Amino acid sequence: MREITDNRACAREELESLYRKIVSYVLLRSGLGSPTDIKIVREATAALQSIFPQAELGTFLTLSKKDKERQLKELTMIVTGIRLFNRDCGKGGEGIDDLPAILREAIPATTQHIDSQLQTAQDQAYRYTAILEKAANNPFLSIELQPYMLKEALYNVRQYEVFLQIILSDIITCAQEVEMMIKQLGAQLEQLKMIVKSKTAVPTSQVFPIFIALSNLWTSFQDETVLISVLSNLTTHLVPFLGAHELLFPEKVIQNLLDGLTVKTDVCRVKEHLEDRVHLADFRKQEWLFPETTANFDKLLIQYRGFCAYTFATTDGLLLPGNPGIGILKYKEKYYTFNTRDAAYLFAENPENYIDLIREKAKKNAELIQLLELHQQFETLIPYSHMKDVDKHIKPITKSESSTQTDTHILPPTIVRSYEWNEWELRRKAIKLANLRQKATHSVQTDLSHMRRENCSQVYPPKDAGTQSKREGSSQVPRPQIYIAGLRGGQGKVTSGVKVNLTRAVDET
């Protein structure tokens, strides 16, 4: 990326080299094939040229470094989407592994492997528990066996079991995510096929978002593949813990100790004492919770990871699974289970005493703090990030207030909120809606609209008028015109005038 963003290519050869680098970057970032395989490079180059021709390199080089990085990431995602679509259509997809199919095979295989490991660990824990239970009831065997190491082994196996269950739950979550993503991938590809069909050109605004979505989904598949690999490696690294048990307690020694014993599973132990329930009448101060009277019963955070608190305290560390069906004791906002009714009664008489014994035992065996989840009692060992979440747990619901109310208005209200009684307010609203303050009114009447309203027009009646066919005329007497010449005088001293009659004759007019 640094080589591409810092490039200042000018010559043609340099631009071609830069374009090849962009193709290599796209392949490396997407993780879909090797940049050294010529077929993969050709396919990626063709996909890149369809959205980013080499002629646009000049524009690309003028961008800022951040814009270049952003554009490179977008180009990678779009090219990845195009290649995935081509692979789905059977027209390309060289070097792209079928991750959904690989994950569908890998997840069940990993789950099966962890299940077998979990079963082995549980069987070993049941055998250790049976031997330690026998030793607790038989003082002579306890002296001969010296069960300290066996208890340590039991703690180790129970820890191993917890870790495997955590990994298994993560893989189950991973499987659910993969199934959901496979459906999304199919839906996106179908949508893309519907848009593209047999068109020669498709608007980029329609297909680019789908290409980017395909790329993001494929990246998620890659992440899930890495996660499955990590979880599988974790399981593999945990296997040596079981091997150490075989060295410390060979099968022959364990079989000798198990002679005449019945190895009970956790489920069997729970079923044994299912009917022996705590009687509430025997307790007035303590609060007991039962499945049928308590909501969230299965989700309660049981102390000591569900092991019997009384047995652990009195037998110096024997782990027996508690039975919630007997009853869960609520003491100082914490919940305790017991493997028998007698153990429950004895613990309830003096809970603080047994809690102190367990705390002292945990101080000697530090692994018990994590195994029995004693974080509240050893707060200095809690990571800072989890300090606030220590007391956050689901509380049981044993009582609830409920009330019923009859609706006054059964039918939905028909109040018109926009009603306005004030005429001036209505006018103001009308002016706002019409925005007539700066408008001029125009009206046009057409042949179609002239009959839609009453029209009236005013006319003037015609005036009486007469016409004249001939022009009246009359005759005139000629006007007399007499001219006297010589009145202004002349060269002589005597003025003499000559009278000239210019009047026209009557017959000339």
Side-chain angles (χ1 to χ4, degrees):
M1 183 186 278
R2 196 180 300 114
E3 283 179 20
I4 294 167
T5 53
D6 293 346
N7 203 302
R8 296 287 180 270
C10 295
R12 185 178 176 182
E13 292 81 6
E14 290 175 342
L15 289 171
E16 287 176 357
S17 172
L18 176 63
Y19 201 78
R20 285 195 296 273
K21 280 181 183 176
I22 292 174
V23 173
S24 300
Y25 169 83
V26 166
L27 285 170
L28 287 168
R29 187 176 180 85
S30 64
L32 303 182
S34 167
T36 55
D37 190 327
I38 189 68
K39 289 182 181 179
I40 296 169
V41 173
R42 279 177 184 166
E43 186 188 335
T45 306
L48 185 62
Q49 281 177 341
S50 66
I51 58 168
F52 183 71
Q54 198 166 339
E56 290 186 17
L57 273 177
T59 312
F60 175 78
L61 289 169
T62 59
L63 298 173
S64 65
K65 188 167 184 175
K66 281 187 179 178
D67 288 339
K68 284 180 185 175
E69 289 175 3
R70 182 181 51 77
Q71 191 166 347
L72 282 172
K73 287 174 185 176
E74 283 182 9
L75 288 172
T76 303
M77 285 170 28
I78 295 167
V79 169
T80 304
I82 292 170
R83 291 187 64 205
L84 290 170
F85 178 63
N86 290 343
R87 175 182 167 278
D88 188 65
C89 297
K91 297 178 182 177
E94 281 288 332
I96 300 176
D97 296 323
D98 191 357
L99 289 184
I102 292 168
L103 283 166
R104 274 184 163 165
E105 288 179 14
I107 289 172
T110 311
T111 308
Q112 191 176 355
H113 174 63
I114 293 173
D115 275 333
S116 65
Q117 293 288 326
L118 190 59
Q119 190 61 48
T120 307
Q122 286 174 339
D123 290 343
Q124 209 154 350
Y126 300 151
R127 292 160 79 190
Y128 289 163
T129 305
I131 295 166
L132 287 167
E133 199 174 13
K134 180 183 176 184
N137 298 327
N138 188 344
F140 297 108
L141 179 63
S142 180
I143 294 166
E144 183 186 340
L145 181 63
Q146 293 197 351
Y148 175 75
M149 277 297 288
L150 201 58
K151 282 179 186 173
E152 291 278 325
L154 177 61
Y155 300 156
N156 187 257
V157 173
R158 287 292 187 184
Q159 279 180 315
Y160 183 69
E161 180 191 356
V162 169
F163 292 145
L164 285 182
Q165 285 171 344
I166 292 168
I167 293 171
L168 194 60
S169 69
D170 284 348
I171 289 176
I172 290 167
T173 308
C174 186
Q176 293 168 348
E177 287 286 328
V178 167
E179 285 302 316
M180 186 176 68
M181 287 191 299
I182 288 172
K183 288 179 184 175
Q184 289 176 353
L185 184 70
Q188 295 284 4
L189 287 169
E190 281 300 316
Q191 187 182 350
L192 200 53
K193 284 176 185 173
M194 290 294 291
I195 293 171
V196 175
K197 285 185 180 177
S198 57
K199 296 176 186 174
T200 51
V202 185
T204 56
S205 59
Q206 291 181 13
V207 291
F208 277 13
I210 303 177
F211 286 145
I212 290 168
L214 283 175
S215 172
N216 288 331
L217 276 172
W218 205 259
T219 306
S220 299
F221 278 121
Q222 290 171 334
D223 293 342
E224 294 296 335
T225 310
V226 173
L227 180 60
I228 290 292
S229 173
V230 169
L231 293 173
S232 182
N233 287 339
L234 272 174
T235 312
T236 309
H237 287 308
L238 287 172
V239 170
F241 285 101
L242 283 182
H245 289 265
E246 293 176 7
L247 296 173
L248 291 168
F249 304 102
E251 188 64 26
K252 197 177 283 186
V253 175
I254 294 295
Q255 285 299 334
N256 291 335
L257 292 169
L258 286 171
D259 282 343
L261 282 178
T262 306
V263 177
K264 300 173 188 175
T265 64
D266 288 351
V267 178
C268 290
R269 289 178 184 279
V270 169
K271 287 180 180 176
E272 260 185 351
H273 303 284
L274 207 56
E275 300 302 322
D276 301 333
R277 305 187 71 176
V278 171
H279 300 300
L280 286 175
D282 298 337
F283 298 94
R284 291 184 180 179
K285 293 181 179 179
Q286 277 89 355
E287 185 180 352
W288 292 85
L289 309 175
F290 298 98
E292 63 275 4
T293 60
T294 310
N296 300 330
F297 187 81
D298 297 332
K299 297 177 183 176
L300 292 179
L301 183 66
I302 307 296
Q303 293 295 302
Y304 310 127
R305 208 181 282 273
F307 291 113
C308 175
Y310 174 79
T311 308
F312 185 83
T314 53
T315 57
D316 194 31
L318 174 59
L319 295 175
L320 288 181
N323 183 358
I326 292 171
I328 296 179
L329 174 64
K330 183 180 179 182
Y331 178 74
K332 289 186 178 179
E333 300 301 321
K334 294 184 175 65
Y335 309 100
Y336 301 88
T337 55
F338 310 94
N339 67 323
T340 61
R341 184 170 62 182
D342 295 339
Y345 276 58
L346 290 166
F347 184 89
E349 286 176 7
N350 190 2
E352 284 296 335
N353 179 38
Y354 298 107
I355 292 168
D356 288 340
L357 287 172
I358 294 169
R359 189 188 295 116
E360 290 303 317
K361 178 69 178 172
K363 286 179 183 177
K364 294 174 185 175
N365 299 74
E367 67 273 15
L368 289 172
I369 296 169
Q370 288 292 339
L371 179 61
L372 301 181
E373 296 178 326
L374 301 174
H375 297 141
Q376 292 93 342
Q377 298 175 25
F378 298 92
E379 289 188 358
T380 52
L381 298 177
I382 307 172
Y384 181 75
S385 57
H386 298 107
M387 282 288 284
K388 296 175 184 176
D389 301 328
V390 169
D391 296 326
K392 289 182 182 177
H393 57 271
I394 297 168
K395 294 185 178 180
I397 303 167
T398 53
K399 298 175 185 176
S400 64
E401 291 182 6
S402 63
S403 60
T404 56
Q405 182 179 353
T406 307
D407 289 335
T408 310
H409 303 286
I410 303 298
L411 298 174
T414 54
I415 300 169
V416 181
R417 300 291 176 188
S418 59
Y419 173 74
E420 185 61 59
W421 61 270
N422 191 340
E423 186 181 348
W424 294 103
E425 187 61 35
L426 287 171
R427 288 191 181 194
R428 271 193 290 273
K429 285 184 180 177
I431 289 169
K432 281 182 184 176
L433 287 172
N435 194 12
L436 294 176
R437 287 170 295 177
Q438 297 176 352
K439 305 292 182 191
T441 305
H442 299 278
S443 63
V444 175
Q445 187 175 347
T446 63
D447 289 339
L448 295 175
S449 69
H450 77 283
M451 293 187 68
R452 294 187 183 178
R453 63 185 178 87
E454 293 180 359
N455 291 333
C456 62
S457 58
Q458 186 177 358
V459 297
Y460 291 96
K463 293 187 292 183
D464 291 335
T467 58
Q468 195 173 350
S469 56
K470 290 184 179 181
R471 193 179 71 181
E472 291 182 356
S474 60
S475 60
Q476 275 184 333
V477 179
R479 187 178 175 183
Q481 289 181 343
I482 297 169
Y483 178 74
I484 299 172
L487 291 175
R488 293 183 180 180
Q491 293 176 358
K493 295 180 179 181
V494 180
T495 301
S496 59
V498 181
K499 186 178 180 181
V500 181
N501 187 3
L502 296 176
T503 307
R504 297 177 65 185
V506 173
D507 56 351
E508 287 180 12
T509 57

mmCIF file with all atom_site columns, all heavy atoms in Angstrom, residues 101 117 155 224 245-246 305 314 337 417 465 479 490 498:
data_model
loop_
_atom_site.group_PDB
_atom_site.id
_atom_site.type_symbol
_atom_site.label_atom_id
_atom_site.label_alt_id
_atom_site.label_comp_id
_atom_site.label_asym_id
_atom_site.label_entity_id
_atom_site.label_seq_id
_atom_site.pdbx_PDB_ins_code
_atom_site.Cartn_x
_atom_site.Cartn_y
_atom_site.Cartn_z
_atom_site.occupancy
_atom_site.B_iso_or_equiv
_atom_site.pdbx_formal_charge
_atom_site.auth_seq_id
_atom_site.auth_comp_id
_atom_site.auth_asym_id
_atom_site.auth_atom_id
_atom_site.pdbx_PDB_model_num
ATOM 1   N N   . ALA A 1 101 ? -18.242 -24.592 2.340   1.00 0.00 ? 101 ALA A N   1
ATOM 2   C CA  . ALA A 1 101 ? -18.203 -26.061 2.369   1.00 0.00 ? 101 ALA A CA  1
ATOM 3   C C   . ALA A 1 101 ? -17.128 -26.558 3.340   1.00 0.00 ? 101 ALA A C   1
ATOM 4   O O   . ALA A 1 101 ? -17.348 -27.527 4.094   1.00 0.00 ? 101 ALA A O   1
ATOM 5   C CB  . ALA A 1 101 ? -17.931 -26.591 0.965   1.00 0.00 ? 101 ALA A CB  1
ATOM 6   N N   . GLN A 1 117 ? -13.200 -35.775 23.573  1.00 0.00 ? 117 GLN A N   1
ATOM 7   C CA  . GLN A 1 117 ? -12.277 -35.373 24.637  1.00 0.00 ? 117 GLN A CA  1
ATOM 8   C C   . GLN A 1 117 ? -13.041 -35.070 25.930  1.00 0.00 ? 117 GLN A C   1
ATOM 9   O O   . GLN A 1 117 ? -12.607 -35.445 27.027  1.00 0.00 ? 117 GLN A O   1
ATOM 10  C CB  . GLN A 1 117 ? -11.498 -34.114 24.205  1.00 0.00 ? 117 GLN A CB  1
ATOM 11  C CG  . GLN A 1 117 ? -10.540 -34.321 23.052  1.00 0.00 ? 117 GLN A CG  1
ATOM 12  C CD  . GLN A 1 117 ? -9.321  -35.131 23.464  1.00 0.00 ? 117 GLN A CD  1
ATOM 13  O OE1 . GLN A 1 117 ? -8.838  -35.039 24.580  1.00 0.00 ? 117 GLN A OE1 1
ATOM 14  N NE2 . GLN A 1 117 ? -8.842  -35.973 22.572  1.00 0.00 ? 117 GLN A NE2 1
ATOM 15  N N   . TYR A 1 155 ? -9.408  -31.887 40.470  1.00 0.00 ? 155 TYR A N   1
ATOM 16  C CA  . TYR A 1 155 ? -9.533  -30.464 40.153  1.00 0.00 ? 155 TYR A CA  1
ATOM 17  C C   . TYR A 1 155 ? -9.062  -30.201 38.725  1.00 0.00 ? 155 TYR A C   1
ATOM 18  O O   . TYR A 1 155 ? -9.679  -29.442 37.971  1.00 0.00 ? 155 TYR A O   1
ATOM 19  C CB  . TYR A 1 155 ? -8.701  -29.595 41.112  1.00 0.00 ? 155 TYR A CB  1
ATOM 20  C CG  . TYR A 1 155 ? -9.079  -29.719 42.555  1.00 0.00 ? 155 TYR A CG  1
ATOM 21  C CD1 . TYR A 1 155 ? -8.159  -29.423 43.564  1.00 0.00 ? 155 TYR A CD1 1
ATOM 22  C CD2 . TYR A 1 155 ? -10.346 -30.140 42.939  1.00 0.00 ? 155 TYR A CD2 1
ATOM 23  C CE1 . TYR A 1 155 ? -8.497  -29.540 44.905  1.00 0.00 ? 155 TYR A CE1 1
ATOM 24  C CE2 . TYR A 1 155 ? -10.690 -30.258 44.275  1.00 0.00 ? 155 TYR A CE2 1
ATOM 25  C CZ  . TYR A 1 155 ? -9.749  -29.959 45.260  1.00 0.00 ? 155 TYR A CZ  1
ATOM 26  O OH  . TYR A 1 155 ? -10.095 -30.077 46.584  1.00 0.00 ? 155 TYR A OH  1
ATOM 27  N N   . GLU A 1 224 ? -14.052 -16.691 10.439  1.00 0.00 ? 224 GLU A N   1
ATOM 28  C CA  . GLU A 1 224 ? -14.588 -17.878 11.131  1.00 0.00 ? 224 GLU A CA  1
ATOM 29  C C   . GLU A 1 224 ? -13.653 -19.076 10.953  1.00 0.00 ? 224 GLU A C   1
ATOM 30  O O   . GLU A 1 224 ? -13.488 -19.880 11.866  1.00 0.00 ? 224 GLU A O   1
ATOM 31  C CB  . GLU A 1 224 ? -15.984 -18.219 10.597  1.00 0.00 ? 224 GLU A CB  1
ATOM 32  C CG  . GLU A 1 224 ? -17.056 -17.180 10.886  1.00 0.00 ? 224 GLU A CG  1
ATOM 33  C CD  . GLU A 1 224 ? -17.345 -17.012 12.376  1.00 0.00 ? 224 GLU A CD  1
ATOM 34  O OE1 . GLU A 1 224 ? -17.105 -17.955 13.134  1.00 0.00 ? 224 GLU A OE1 1
ATOM 35  O OE2 . GLU A 1 224 ? -17.788 -15.936 12.779  1.00 0.00 ? 224 GLU A OE2 1
ATOM 36  N N   . HIS A 1 245 ? -2.219  -37.496 33.557  1.00 0.00 ? 245 HIS A N   1
ATOM 37  C CA  . HIS A 1 245 ? -2.969  -38.332 34.512  1.00 0.00 ? 245 HIS A CA  1
ATOM 38  C C   . HIS A 1 245 ? -2.593  -39.799 34.385  1.00 0.00 ? 245 HIS A C   1
ATOM 39  O O   . HIS A 1 245 ? -2.525  -40.517 35.380  1.00 0.00 ? 245 HIS A O   1
ATOM 40  C CB  . HIS A 1 245 ? -4.474  -38.166 34.274  1.00 0.00 ? 245 HIS A CB  1
ATOM 41  C CG  . HIS A 1 245 ? -4.985  -36.827 34.703  1.00 0.00 ? 245 HIS A CG  1
ATOM 42  N ND1 . HIS A 1 245 ? -5.552  -36.612 35.936  1.00 0.00 ? 245 HIS A ND1 1
ATOM 43  C CD2 . HIS A 1 245 ? -4.994  -35.623 34.077  1.00 0.00 ? 245 HIS A CD2 1
ATOM 44  C CE1 . HIS A 1 245 ? -5.908  -35.335 36.034  1.00 0.00 ? 245 HIS A CE1 1
ATOM 45  N NE2 . HIS A 1 245 ? -5.570  -34.715 34.921  1.00 0.00 ? 245 HIS A NE2 1
ATOM 46  N N   . GLU A 1 246 ? -2.366  -40.237 33.154  1.00 0.00 ? 246 GLU A N   1
ATOM 47  C CA  . GLU A 1 246 ? -2.009  -41.643 32.939  1.00 0.00 ? 246 GLU A CA  1
ATOM 48  C C   . GLU A 1 246 ? -0.653  -41.965 33.576  1.00 0.00 ? 246 GLU A C   1
ATOM 49  O O   . GLU A 1 246 ? -0.417  -43.095 34.028  1.00 0.00 ? 246 GLU A O   1
ATOM 50  C CB  . GLU A 1 246 ? -1.983  -41.957 31.448  1.00 0.00 ? 246 GLU A CB  1
ATOM 51  C CG  . GLU A 1 246 ? -3.368  -41.882 30.811  1.00 0.00 ? 246 GLU A CG  1
ATOM 52  C CD  . GLU A 1 246 ? -3.318  -42.094 29.314  1.00 0.00 ? 246 GLU A CD  1
ATOM 53  O OE1 . GLU A 1 246 ? -2.229  -42.434 28.804  1.00 0.00 ? 246 GLU A OE1 1
ATOM 54  O OE2 . GLU A 1 246 ? -4.362  -41.915 28.657  1.00 0.00 ? 246 GLU A OE2 1
ATOM 55  N N   . ARG A 1 305 ? -19.722 -23.082 41.130  1.00 0.00 ? 305 ARG A N   1
ATOM 56  C CA  . ARG A 1 305 ? -19.976 -23.711 39.828  1.00 0.00 ? 305 ARG A CA  1
ATOM 57  C C   . ARG A 1 305 ? -20.926 -24.911 39.932  1.00 0.00 ? 305 ARG A C   1
ATOM 58  O O   . ARG A 1 305 ? -20.814 -25.896 39.194  1.00 0.00 ? 305 ARG A O   1
ATOM 59  C CB  . ARG A 1 305 ? -18.668 -24.128 39.158  1.00 0.00 ? 305 ARG A CB  1
ATOM 60  C CG  . ARG A 1 305 ? -18.758 -24.141 37.629  1.00 0.00 ? 305 ARG A CG  1
ATOM 61  C CD  . ARG A 1 305 ? -17.463 -24.568 37.011  1.00 0.00 ? 305 ARG A CD  1
ATOM 62  N NE  . ARG A 1 305 ? -16.460 -23.540 36.994  1.00 0.00 ? 305 ARG A NE  1
ATOM 63  C CZ  . ARG A 1 305 ? -16.304 -22.618 36.054  1.00 0.00 ? 305 ARG A CZ  1
ATOM 64  N NH1 . ARG A 1 305 ? -17.133 -22.593 35.039  1.00 0.00 ? 305 ARG A NH1 1
ATOM 65  N NH2 . ARG A 1 305 ? -15.339 -21.722 36.117  1.00 0.00 ? 305 ARG A NH2 1
ATOM 66  N N   . THR A 1 314 ? -16.704 -30.205 54.158  1.00 0.00 ? 314 THR A N   1
ATOM 67  C CA  . THR A 1 314 ? -16.531 -31.223 55.218  1.00 0.00 ? 314 THR A CA  1
ATOM 68  C C   . THR A 1 314 ? -15.573 -32.335 54.821  1.00 0.00 ? 314 THR A C   1
ATOM 69  O O   . THR A 1 314 ? -15.007 -33.002 55.679  1.00 0.00 ? 314 THR A O   1
ATOM 70  C CB  . THR A 1 314 ? -17.891 -31.835 55.586  1.00 0.00 ? 314 THR A CB  1
ATOM 71  O OG1 . THR A 1 314 ? -18.533 -32.301 54.389  1.00 0.00 ? 314 THR A OG1 1
ATOM 72  C CG2 . THR A 1 314 ? -18.778 -30.793 56.256  1.00 0.00 ? 314 THR A CG2 1
ATOM 73  N N   . THR A 1 337 ? -26.270 -24.949 46.022  1.00 0.00 ? 337 THR A N   1
ATOM 74  C CA  . THR A 1 337 ? -26.938 -26.234 45.787  1.00 0.00 ? 337 THR A CA  1
ATOM 75  C C   . THR A 1 337 ? -26.200 -27.331 46.565  1.00 0.00 ? 337 THR A C   1
ATOM 76  O O   . THR A 1 337 ? -25.024 -27.181 46.916  1.00 0.00 ? 337 THR A O   1
ATOM 77  C CB  . THR A 1 337 ? -26.932 -26.608 44.296  1.00 0.00 ? 337 THR A CB  1
ATOM 78  O OG1 . THR A 1 337 ? -25.576 -26.579 43.818  1.00 0.00 ? 337 THR A OG1 1
ATOM 79  C CG2 . THR A 1 337 ? -27.776 -25.650 43.487  1.00 0.00 ? 337 THR A CG2 1
ATOM 80  N N   . ARG A 1 417 ? -56.820 15.792  15.520  1.00 0.00 ? 417 ARG A N   1
ATOM 81  C CA  . ARG A 1 417 ? -55.854 16.699  16.177  1.00 0.00 ? 417 ARG A CA  1
ATOM 82  C C   . ARG A 1 417 ? -55.605 17.963  15.362  1.00 0.00 ? 417 ARG A C   1
ATOM 83  O O   . ARG A 1 417 ? -55.190 18.980  15.907  1.00 0.00 ? 417 ARG A O   1
ATOM 84  C CB  . ARG A 1 417 ? -54.526 15.969  16.402  1.00 0.00 ? 417 ARG A CB  1
ATOM 85  C CG  . ARG A 1 417 ? -54.628 14.729  17.266  1.00 0.00 ? 417 ARG A CG  1
ATOM 86  C CD  . ARG A 1 417 ? -54.935 15.057  18.690  1.00 0.00 ? 417 ARG A CD  1
ATOM 87  N NE  . ARG A 1 417 ? -55.117 13.866  19.511  1.00 0.00 ? 417 ARG A NE  1
ATOM 88  C CZ  . ARG A 1 417 ? -55.549 13.881  20.762  1.00 0.00 ? 417 ARG A CZ  1
ATOM 89  N NH1 . ARG A 1 417 ? -55.852 15.047  21.327  1.00 0.00 ? 417 ARG A NH1 1
ATOM 90  N NH2 . ARG A 1 417 ? -55.704 12.763  21.443  1.00 0.00 ? 417 ARG A NH2 1
ATOM 91  N N   . ALA A 1 465 ? -80.745 54.384  -35.793 1.00 0.00 ? 465 ALA A N   1
ATOM 92  C CA  . ALA A 1 465 ? -79.821 55.051  -36.718 1.00 0.00 ? 465 ALA A CA  1
ATOM 93  C C   . ALA A 1 465 ? -80.445 55.076  -38.116 1.00 0.00 ? 465 ALA A C   1
ATOM 94  O O   . ALA A 1 465 ? -81.226 54.186  -38.467 1.00 0.00 ? 465 ALA A O   1
ATOM 95  C CB  . ALA A 1 465 ? -78.494 54.326  -36.736 1.00 0.00 ? 465 ALA A CB  1
ATOM 96  N N   . ARG A 1 479 ? -69.344 84.591  -56.631 1.00 0.00 ? 479 ARG A N   1
ATOM 97  C CA  . ARG A 1 479 ? -68.932 85.665  -55.721 1.00 0.00 ? 479 ARG A CA  1
ATOM 98  C C   . ARG A 1 479 ? -68.292 86.798  -56.505 1.00 0.00 ? 479 ARG A C   1
ATOM 99  O O   . ARG A 1 479 ? -67.363 86.538  -57.273 1.00 0.00 ? 479 ARG A O   1
ATOM 100 C CB  . ARG A 1 479 ? -67.922 85.079  -54.704 1.00 0.00 ? 479 ARG A CB  1
ATOM 101 C CG  . ARG A 1 479 ? -67.575 86.046  -53.628 1.00 0.00 ? 479 ARG A CG  1
ATOM 102 C CD  . ARG A 1 479 ? -66.628 85.299  -52.701 1.00 0.00 ? 479 ARG A CD  1
ATOM 103 N NE  . ARG A 1 479 ? -66.129 86.208  -51.672 1.00 0.00 ? 479 ARG A NE  1
ATOM 104 C CZ  . ARG A 1 479 ? -65.239 85.870  -50.761 1.00 0.00 ? 479 ARG A CZ  1
ATOM 105 N NH1 . ARG A 1 479 ? -64.742 84.639  -50.755 1.00 0.00 ? 479 ARG A NH1 1
ATOM 106 N NH2 . ARG A 1 479 ? -64.838 86.747  -49.870 1.00 0.00 ? 479 ARG A NH2 1
ATOM 107 N N   . GLY A 1 490 ? -47.149 104.997 -59.600 1.00 0.00 ? 490 GLY A N   1
ATOM 108 C CA  . GLY A 1 490 ? -46.136 104.517 -60.526 1.00 0.00 ? 490 GLY A CA  1
ATOM 109 C C   . GLY A 1 490 ? -45.042 105.546 -60.671 1.00 0.00 ? 490 GLY A C   1
ATOM 110 O O   . GLY A 1 490 ? -44.752 106.320 -59.760 1.00 0.00 ? 490 GLY A O   1
ATOM 111 N N   . VAL A 1 498 ? -57.081 101.377 -62.569 1.00 0.00 ? 498 VAL A N   1
ATOM 112 C CA  . VAL A 1 498 ? -57.837 100.651 -63.594 1.00 0.00 ? 498 VAL A CA  1
ATOM 113 C C   . VAL A 1 498 ? -58.659 99.586  -62.874 1.00 0.00 ? 498 VAL A C   1
ATOM 114 O O   . VAL A 1 498 ? -58.130 98.769  -62.121 1.00 0.00 ? 498 VAL A O   1
ATOM 115 C CB  . VAL A 1 498 ? -56.895 99.973  -64.609 1.00 0.00 ? 498 VAL A CB  1
ATOM 116 C CG1 . VAL A 1 498 ? -57.727 99.263  -65.669 1.00 0.00 ? 498 VAL A CG1 1
ATOM 117 C CG2 . VAL A 1 498 ? -56.007 101.020 -65.264 1.00 0.00 ? 498 VAL A CG2 1
#
